[in-house]
Amino acid sequence: MTIRNLDFMFNPSSVALVGASPKRGSIGAVLAHNLVHAGFQGEIFFVNPKYSSIEGLPVYPDPDSLPKAPDLAVIATPPDTVPQLIETFGKRGTRSAVVITAGFQEVGSEEAKRLCDQMLESAKPHLLRILGPNCMGIMVPGIGLNSSFGHVQPLKGNIAFVAQSGAVQTSVLDWATSRGIGFSHFVSVGNMSDVDFGDMLDYLATESSAKSILLYIENITHARKFMSAARAAARMKPVVVVKAGRHAEAARAAASHTGALAGADEVYSAAFMRAGMLRVMDMQALFNAVETLAMSHQFTGDRLAILTNGGGVGVLATDVLIDKKGRLAELSPETIGRLNSVLPRTWSHNNPVDLIGDAPPERYADALQALLEDDGVDALLVLNCPTAVASSTDVARVVVDTLKKSGLKALHRGIFTSWLGADSAREARRIFAENRIPSYETPDEAVRGFMQMVRYRRSQEMLMETPPSIPEVFEPEVDIAREIVNRALSQGRGWLSELEAKAVLAAYKIPTVETYEAATPEEAGKIAARLGGSLVLKILSPDIPHKSDVEGVALDLKSAEIVTQTARLMEERIRARMPGAMLSGFTVQPMVNRPNARELIVGVSDDMQFGPVILFGHGGTAVEIIQDKAIAFPPLNLHLAREVMARTRVYRLLEGFRGKPPADMDAIARTLIKVSQLVIDMADIAELDINPLLADEQGVLALDARIRVAQSHLPASQRLAICPYPKELEETITLPGGQTLLIRPIRPEDEPAFQALFSRLSMDEIRMRFLHFMKYLSHDMAARLTQIDYDREMALVLCEPAVQTEPELYGVVRFAADPDKARAEFAILIRRDMTGMGLGPMLMRRIIKYARNRGIGELFGEVLAENAPMLKICEAFGFKKRRDPDDPGVMIVSLPLG
């Protein structure tokens, strides 16, 4: 379940508290007090057989005696009472519950687990949703709901805060209230036995009172649901997350380099980045994020101007800005001239703008006005150090007045302030809070707030960026790779041999160096004689994951005799060091001489929470020491592959330096895509290392490869946190006239073709399809229509069957389902010159079949009443129609699929 019945939890008309108490200081008493005194206008019922009245309200002995079924039940009674209470409320018609009680999963005992399972089983028949257990509760200040034991009533605002830790929530609540910052929702999810972060993101994404979402996460459940919900929410509003537990004390042992490098925290960071969320790293950054989200204007660009009366703090702020990869705005000559006319001759004549320590309020106003009118400035940081010659409070008032007078100019700039000092700055900070201007205690916190907004906007741009098409036809030989893997599994082997691993890579068109196996040193010598030239000799053993660690690799061997001799010595040395290791023989391969090449690593690791992840970074034998790597989630396209490459330091070396030519970046990116496809196709690949992968101007070459296999209990695509492109839906059709077309799912790379399809529509066709006139289709809208989440949406396009870098689209049919898959809205678009061929009914038939197979309960759509052809198609497929009560010119058509 996802958002089903959550309205009853966060917008109830009635609430019952089980475990209410008059005992001062008890949880039941705090909950009762908060419910009564927060301003809730609905009905409140207390349940406790020991009392007759609490907080002036009658108390009922049990849920059955309540005058009606409450929308929300709040339970604060011992764990063993909870399952029965849930069952009783469910039978009465209650559809949501907050279980405050601890003593379930967090205890870790079999009895606690049994109680939790029993609680969920009691709720299931009634679709009753449970928040918790072991949670602080929920607060919705907009409706006066406080069903928590929080110590402070939150102010009304537009930030939704969801957290697993009650201690973190109370700290944030206390801090935010003192700053005048309010919330739309304040939710403690506790153990997340039912309602989890994915559910909350789905619910809050469409909740108009929540303009931004803040998450405190210790762990997540249901990775695919979380990623789908996070990606959907982040497209609609800012989502900021702080993840606790970054450094696990007991990291799992991993036999591959990738397994050792792909730590859980790096995987979480990659997940947040892929979803378009902004991650912050600690509590102070969390506070800064609250401040920034609550009060900062949305702005474009990353050029910051710093205005200060203290040169030193301006320099410190600049250092922090550069450390965080920000950039100073370059002031225009006109702005410099204006500042020269209003500032002392000793001002800094540059950015940061140092007003000098004796700056009165008027000097701040003049300089601020000049900076606001500079188009090269995207945001301003105004700093103030306390002095004896000018009041910090007066300066704050003038800053506020100047911003108000500037109107739209100030609205289009990001404004950040930091008034240093304690008592001298207190009133100034109050003034800024009152006027919704973010204010930070130190300049570096202010810069961090600015960079949070910059990073968030960049993540949004990346989320909406159209990926280029893959510049080559890529058809892997899946059956060959699967046969190799299945053979190893049938023999009970966990690791493929080096030759088998390279054969799998070759099946996916990844270039590998020729490699030959030899059972004995003498056989290795014969292979060397046949190959000639410089050679590489490696030990072959399933028990030695890292050959170089035991001197199991010898390079640049010049003759067959040297190869034979080296093999004998290598065998003796390893038998002495590792007598229990199984030695299968040796591998011999040509010594590759590519002087401009860089050693890279590309790998796959199976994360316990998110499934397979892909690693890219600086390779070689010292890969764990260098620690230059980035994590990405499959599936990948060229845009995502290049993005993960750019997050590493080795990327700058690959771009070329000191006369060395740049590496073939497309070849590296294509290798990442091919590895991604291998993961998508092959469920039984648990770990993979290509190390080193040589990369230079000639392309890429895999010198060594290791693959671990393990029987998977899930289909390959279901292991992934992000649903991959469903290739199985591709279908070739032949029209009555003999023309052959391809029906396939839409791809992100289709945006240019989709824009071209839209451009060929007449204004009347646009109105019929989109229900209103549109002169053009914006990039953002086109990206949303082509970069879909295949787990919740589907769009089938009609195009030529030949593979093209920019295919021509003739038609599109799509649906977008709600998170519960109860209903899905469909739409269909056929190019004018392709109408009359039966394509509309054909596409409709396929989308109905797919929706039914996905378990969608109902398809519905909005059709203009004058759109007779579309209404006729809907009627032919059994859609019912009714007029939209809000717009008589629109018909609502619906088709139950259950």
Side-chain angles (χ1 to χ4, degrees), residues 76-130:
T77 57
D80 58 352
T81 67
V82 173
Q84 183 59 53
L85 286 169
I86 291 292
E87 184 172 347
T88 302
F89 277 113
K91 286 179 178 178
R92 289 213 60 186
T94 297
R95 292 296 173 259
S96 67
V98 175
V99 179
I100 305 293
T101 309
F104 290 85
Q105 297 104 306
E106 77 280 2
V107 174
S109 69
E110 285 299 317
E111 173 63 14
K113 184 179 184 304
R114 185 190 67 78
L115 284 174
C116 184
D117 292 343
Q118 191 177 342
M119 175 186 70
L120 294 174
E121 286 300 315
S122 299
K124 190 180 296 183
H126 315 290
L127 296 178
L128 188 152
R129 306 305 307 277
I130 296 173

Side-chain angles (χ1 to χ4, degrees), residues 609-724:
Q609 190 73 261
F610 290 94
V613 296
I614 295 172
L615 177 138
F616 172 83
H618 199 306
T621 56
V623 63
E624 282 98 349
I625 304 299
I626 297 171
Q627 286 281 327
D628 177 25
K629 85 279 188 182
I631 304 291
F633 280 75
L636 294 179
N637 54 34
L638 272 180
H639 163 61
L640 292 168
R642 287 171 178 155
E643 185 278 328
V644 70
M645 290 161 56
R647 280 190 269 135
T648 60
R649 298 189 302 275
V650 74
Y651 183 79
R652 292 194 287 274
L653 297 178
L654 295 170
E655 290 181 305
F657 70 103
R658 292 187 177 178
K660 285 188 178 290
D664 185 341
M665 296 298 199
D666 278 348
I668 302 170
R670 287 195 298 269
T671 301
L672 286 165
I673 292 169
K674 292 169 183 177
V675 170
S676 169
Q677 190 60 48
L678 175 59
V679 170
I680 292 168
D681 293 339
M682 308 291 289
D684 300 323
I685 289 184
E687 286 185 64
L688 178 150
D689 266 355
I690 307 173
N691 181 36
L693 176 74
L694 293 187
D696 59 14
E697 71 279 7
Q698 302 175 47
V700 297
L701 184 66
L703 296 190
D704 202 356
R706 303 185 70 251
I707 294 177
R708 184 171 70 84
V709 295
Q711 192 78 51
S712 174
H713 302 294
L714 289 173
S717 63
Q718 289 187 23
R719 294 193 308 156
L720 307 181
I722 299 173
C723 188

Side-chain angles (χ1 to χ4, degrees), residues 131-353:
L131 187 76
N134 187 27
C135 71
M136 190 177 78
I138 59 175
M139 308 180 214
V140 186
I143 62 170
L145 175 66
N146 187 345
S147 59
S148 81
F149 57 88
H151 66 301
V152 177
Q153 172 66 26
L155 303 174
K156 294 180 184 179
N158 54 26
I159 298 175
F161 184 31
V162 185
Q164 280 177 281
S165 166
V168 168
Q169 284 196 295
T170 54
S171 300
V172 171
L173 180 59
D174 199 64
W175 178 88
T177 305
S178 70
R179 310 277 290 194
I181 295 172
F183 298 89
S184 64
H185 300 75
F186 209 84
V187 183
S188 170
V189 292
N191 292 350
M192 300 191 298
S193 62
D194 174 21
V195 177
D196 60 12
F197 283 111
D199 300 328
M200 290 306 308
L201 284 166
D202 275 326
Y203 178 79
L204 294 169
T206 56
E207 180 60 40
S208 59
S209 62
K211 304 301 182 188
S212 54
I213 303 171
L214 191 64
L215 306 177
Y216 174 85
I217 292 178
E218 292 173 359
N219 66 287
I220 68 160
T221 54
H222 310 296
R224 180 173 288 189
K225 181 177 76 170
F226 174 81
M227 290 299 290
S228 292
R231 293 166 77 196
R235 285 178 182 268
M236 302 173 72
K237 56 190 67 173
V239 182
V240 179
V241 55
V242 59
K243 167 69 175 67
R246 291 189 291 120
H247 302 292
E249 290 297 323
R252 70 177 179 88
S256 70
H257 292 295
T258 300
L261 291 169
D265 192 62
E266 288 90 353
V267 174
Y268 268 102
S269 285
F272 300 147
M273 184 178 297
R274 181 70 176 266
M277 299 189 290
L278 171 66
R279 181 180 187 177
V280 297
M281 304 310 288
D282 53 39
M283 282 295 291
Q284 186 56 58
L286 179 68
F287 289 147
N288 292 343
V290 174
E291 179 95 20
T292 305
L293 290 175
M295 300 184 182
S296 170
H297 296 304
Q298 291 288 337
F299 60 91
T300 59
D302 62 353
R303 299 166 298 181
L304 180 68
I306 300 174
L307 183 64
T308 178
N309 68 338
V313 294
V315 172
L316 288 173
T318 302
D319 285 342
V320 175
L321 179 69
I322 302 306
D323 286 344
K324 294 188 174 297
K325 306 291 190 294
R327 62 172 176 155
L328 281 174
E330 187 173 332
L331 303 183
S332 69
E334 291 78 15
T335 300
I336 296 290
R338 286 190 60 177
L339 293 173
N340 281 334
S341 66
V342 297
L343 299 182
R345 286 186 303 169
T346 52
W347 80 281
S348 58
H349 296 277
N350 210 333
N351 184 18
V353 178

Side-chain angles (χ1 to χ4, degrees), residues 528 531-537 554-559 563 588-593:
L531 293 177
S534 295
L535 300 164
V536 176
L537 178 75
L555 306 176
D556 204 16
L557 306 180
K558 299 295 188 182
S559 69
V563 168
V588 183
Q589 63 190 54
M591 181 77 183
V592 176
N593 182 26

